Amino acid sequence: QTYFDMTYNAALLTVNGALSHGPQYDVRPLGSAAVDGVIDAAGGASDGLPTPAGERFLLFTLPIHTDAAGTLP
């Protein structure tokens, strides 16, 4: 299982849709971007070891719109 809390500068981007989870982490999917500048508990669990081992797996996606130039930490 993998879950993240993240912050970002809300002056630079706007969340433009719902958080969706990757197919490998669809057990107990969580996550909210309802508060500007915060992505809370985004992630999920897998029903086994991700396969094939050693590969990259999509945890979640979140559509955004950039509002200004700048650097997100």
Side-chain angles (χ1 to χ4, degrees), residues 4-5 8-9 11 19 29 31 47-48 60:
F4 289 96
D5 291 325
Y8 61 90
N9 184 340
L19 189 142
D47 60 358
F60 67 89

Side-chain angles (χ1 to χ4, degrees), residues 1-7 19-22 24-32 38-47 57-60:
Q1 68 183 17
T2 304
Y3 297 92
F4 289 96
D5 291 325
M6 294 172 260
T7 59
L19 189 142
S20 64
H21 297 84
Q24 290 281 32
Y25 295 98
D26 60 351
V27 177
R28 292 190 314 262
L30 295 175
S32 172
V38 178
I39 301 170
D40 183 40
S46 178
D47 60 358
F57 302 101
L58 177 66
L59 181 58
F60 67 89

Side-chain angles (χ1 to χ4, degrees), residues 48-63:
L49 294 175
T51 55
E55 294 293 319
R56 295 180 182 186
F57 302 101
L58 177 66
L59 181 58
F60 67 89
T61 60
L62 182 65

